Amino acid sequence: MSVREHELALPVDRAAIEVLRAGDVVYLTGEIFATAGLPTHERLLGCIEGREAVPFEMKDGALFHLGSLNEEGADGSLRIVYMNPTTSTRFNKHMPRLIPGLGLRVTGGKGGLSAESAAAMAENGCVYLAFLGGGAQIFTASIRKVTGIGWPEMVSHYRVVRIEVERLGPLTVGIDAHGSSLYDSTAQGASARREDILAQMRAERAVAAGGSVKP
Amino acid sequence: MPITDEMIQVATRELYSRALRKVPEDAKEGLRAAMKSETSEIARRTLDLQLKSAELAERKDRFVCSDSGVPTYFVKIGSGAVLDCDLKASIRSGYEELVETIDPPILKHVTNPLTLERSHHGKEMPLVSYDFESGADYVEMICSPKALGSGRWAALELFTFPSLEEIETYVLDVAIKAGAQHCPPVVMGVGIGGSFDYCAALAKKQTLRPLGKVNPEPVLAAMEERLKTAVNALGFGPMGTGGDTTVLGVHVDYASGHGFTPVAVCFNCWINRRTSVKMWNDGRMEWGE
Ligand code: SF4
């Protein structure tokens, strides 16, 4: 089975998101939002509860779990030195509310999200895109420019950064908008195979032990 | 001529900096071999991307990953080595200098566990373990920056007089729990026996053993093969999107102990950050991976 590839422009509508299936490959062009901060996610929840204004309007957009070294130059210019995904499962608690609350069509990072997040994605028409961990140079190369740094008082990788990217990818659809998650299927597969694998190891140990007592 | 403060400082800086930029050759070789055996197309694409990422970082002399982790060092002092410095202070100075001068700068990952505040500095940072080596006339330093993904999924359990079956089942269950959160394909280090702390160190050190070297202990060599096949059969695959390659290698070491037997499991992510240097009294420095 060959892998399907898609080019997607942001912001994106629900119909274009629903075309994507778990396992497809996506390249993104347009503006994305990026942060790697747990406190940032808490704060974003505060925004949708009306405690403060969102740093950026993200409706129909992409919010990724990406850490970056970003700086504002003396002349006011913005720059990203490198960026790379962070572990999304740390935000399992926040994403089921942030997806509808911010109106996200795309989220992503590395490691996937929980079944509860996957349900929120199916309900609201959103996908999770998997980045390669340790792909800093590949992803940084797709940055066209930084168009905004939200919450600059936080440490670099906790800020919300708005970045214009060109063909950001390759990204794998880890969770699609139809409830299918590669993370759930691999985890279930692993649990299902556990007993057989243990039996196989037992058999191999028996052969090894038999071998060592033979003259 | 003794080993100087300057040599230790250079070693501290360079080891960390190099570890962030270069995937060791044996790890790249492991990824290439996996490309050939992998049956999933998505997995092959990921392996290919990992190799490209490694190559790009190396060529540009930039970081492979933005989570530069926290620095951990292992220092082994040979009985014949002559040191003309306050070793601990030299390492600390080297690290302080590194965070000020490294290009590109590193993010603030050093976390105070009580307040969750992040910076480049903190209590006990960098994390250093010391050991001695009889009959050696050098000081060896190994650096292994530990990031969230590569550090978070380690585990340790204490058993009483466990069978090999219990030990191996535990290792498999730790692998199941970690899933693909540690950016596979990983290297798994396993420590068996000793005491709580000793066992953890054994496991950690095994993650730093180069791939492709057969364990000289036949029982462990067989266990390593068995566990590698078993963990790969779980099917998480590179970056967890499915496939036959979840580990590049499983490395096991043991120490004798009482009948209470700790078993520790530790991981190194696919970029396998590790660097080493040997320093001699005559000022020679020999760098390794
Ligand atoms: S586990 Fe390794 S490759 Fe993955 S994000 Fe962390 S440091 Fe990078």
Side-chain angles (χ1 to χ4, degrees):
Chain A
M1 196 188 76
S2 81
V3 172
R4 299 197 309 167
E5 287 194 6
H6 309 264
E7 298 281 342
L8 228 56
L10 290 162
V12 61
D13 61 20
R14 184 166 189 158
I17 287 300
E18 285 179 344
V19 171
L20 307 176
R21 300 285 159 165
D24 288 0
V25 166
V26 176
Y27 291 86
L28 285 177
T29 298
E31 276 189 334
I32 64 162
F33 302 94
T35 184
L38 201 60
T40 322
H41 281 72
E42 301 282 342
R43 227 173 135 175
L44 285 169
L45 279 179
C47 294
I48 61 176
E49 285 160 7
R51 262 180 275 151
E52 66 177 312
V54 281
F56 302 106
E57 180 60 50
M58 299 185 208
K59 193 171 158 18
D60 292 333
L63 173 63
F64 290 122
H65 306 135
L66 287 171
S68 68
L69 177 68
N70 52 73
E71 0 175 272
E72 188 176 337
D75 57 351
S77 65
L78 305 174
R79 184 172 98 95
I80 285 183
V81 185
Y82 52 79
M83 71 171 186
N84 192 75
T86 187
T87 306
S88 298
T89 44
R90 294 190 287 139
F91 314 118
N92 271 336
K93 207 171 71 188
H94 313 86
M95 294 314 288
R97 277 195 291 153
L98 287 180
I99 289 162
L102 298 171
L104 302 178
R105 290 271 167 249
V106 182
T107 186
K110 72 175 193 84
L113 284 167
S114 64
E116 201 191 343
S117 301
M121 283 182 224
E123 193 176 319
N124 297 281
C126 176
V127 288
Y128 178 94
L129 300 180
F131 287 71
L132 170 68
Q137 297 313 314
I138 288 169
F139 301 124
T140 308
S142 73
I143 297 174
R144 226 186 291 168
K145 63 174 188 279
V146 185
T147 57
I149 294 180
W151 296 336
E153 66 278 16
M154 302 181 96
V155 293
S156 184
H157 43 313
Y158 285 7
R159 297 168 189 153
V160 181
V161 192
R162 190 173 61 193
I163 309 160
E164 200 181 306
V165 294
E166 187 174 348
R167 298 200 79 232
L168 171 65
L171 311 174
T172 307
V173 179
I175 306 172
D176 65 24
H178 309 280
S180 173
S181 163
L182 296 180
Y183 306 99
D184 287 349
S185 54
T186 50
Q188 282 160 13
S191 304
R193 280 191 283 274
R194 182 179 177 274
E195 285 309 316
D196 285 348
I197 294 171
L198 289 175
Q200 179 65 33
M201 290 166 85
R202 209 171 292 130
E204 285 167 20
R205 270 191 307 270
V207 170
S212 68
V213 291
K214 273 184 201 142
Chain B
M1 216 171 76
I3 295 163
T4 61
D5 168 69
E6 177 61 17
M7 284 166 76
I8 300 290
Q9 289 209 37
V10 168
T12 307
R13 290 199 302 268
E14 277 293 311
L15 288 176
Y16 193 1
S17 181
R18 288 177 190 215
L20 298 177
R21 297 164 208 262
K22 174 135 184 346
V23 176
E25 289 304 319
D26 59 290
K28 285 194 279 189
E29 200 40 56
L31 295 171
R32 274 185 223 114
M35 287 270 292
K36 296 202 188 99
S37 56
E38 187 47 79
T39 55
S40 147
E41 193 193 333
I42 302 181
R44 277 199 305 274
R45 279 179 176 241
T46 303
L47 291 166
D48 186 46
L49 197 61
Q50 289 174 329
L51 283 162
K52 280 204 183 90
S53 176
E55 195 252 333
L56 210 57
E58 201 172 321
R59 187 151 45 81
K60 290 183 165 178
D61 195 23
R62 285 291 179 262
F63 301 162
V64 186
C65 188
S66 58
D67 188 346
S68 32
V70 293
T72 73
Y73 294 91
F74 290 99
V75 182
K76 211 181 259 175
I77 304 162
S79 54
V82 183
L83 275 156
D84 178 30
C85 63
D86 178 343
L87 186 55
K88 233 171 163 169
S90 301
I91 292 174
R92 191 155 179 117
S93 306
Y95 173 69
E96 307 262 307
E97 168 91 13
L98 170 97
V99 295
E100 292 303 321
T101 57
I102 189 167
D103 176 42
I106 48 177
L107 293 167
K108 293 176 175 168
H109 290 295
V110 175
T111 307
N112 179 324
L114 307 178
T115 62
L116 303 186
E117 266 168 280
R118 306 194 90 171
S119 79
H120 285 129
H121 308 282
K123 188 167 185 283
E124 309 266 339
M125 202 51 67
L127 307 171
V128 190
S129 323
Y130 299 90
D131 199 356
F132 297 96
E133 180 88 0
S134 296
D137 59 349
Y138 55 79
V139 169
E140 185 188 49
M141 271 176 85
I142 294 175
C143 177
S144 154
K146 284 313 262 186
L148 186 73
S150 63
R152 158 74 178 86
W153 299 95
L156 188 148
E157 182 79 74
L158 286 119
F159 297 85
T160 33
F161 301 99
S163 62
L164 289 188
E165 169 150 16
E166 276 176 90
I167 292 171
E168 292 175 21
T169 302
Y170 174 68
V171 175
L172 189 74
D173 285 339
V174 173
I176 291 175
K177 185 162 179 225
Q181 297 294 321
H182 43 29
C183 290
V186 296
V187 171
M188 256 174 114
V190 178
I192 303 168
S195 58
F196 181 79
D197 53 326
Y198 208 92
C199 180
L202 285 180
K204 168 69 189 277
K205 283 180 190 157
Q206 285 302 304
T207 64
L208 306 175
R209 193 179 111 199
L211 284 157
K213 292 212 165 65
V214 179
N215 198 314
E217 189 82 42
V219 176
L220 296 184
M223 186 187 281
E224 289 179 353
E225 268 311 304
R226 223 162 28 237
L227 283 168
K228 181 179 169 188
T229 307
V231 176
N232 281 336
L234 292 171
F236 290 106
M239 292 310 296
T241 49
D244 318 313
T245 323
T246 307
V247 285
L248 292 178
V250 180
H251 298 162
V252 189
D253 199 4
Y254 81 107
S256 49
H258 197 284
F260 78 88
T261 302
V263 179
V265 184
C266 186
F267 301 94
N268 209 356
C269 58
W270 78 265
I271 64 177
N272 276 292
R273 285 175 175 149
R274 58 175 153 81
T275 43
S276 70
V277 69
K278 275 184 186 165
M279 291 167 276
W280 279 271
N281 296 339
D282 63 5
R284 251 182 321 135
M285 297 178 80
E286 187 184 296
W287 303 91
E289 294 185 323

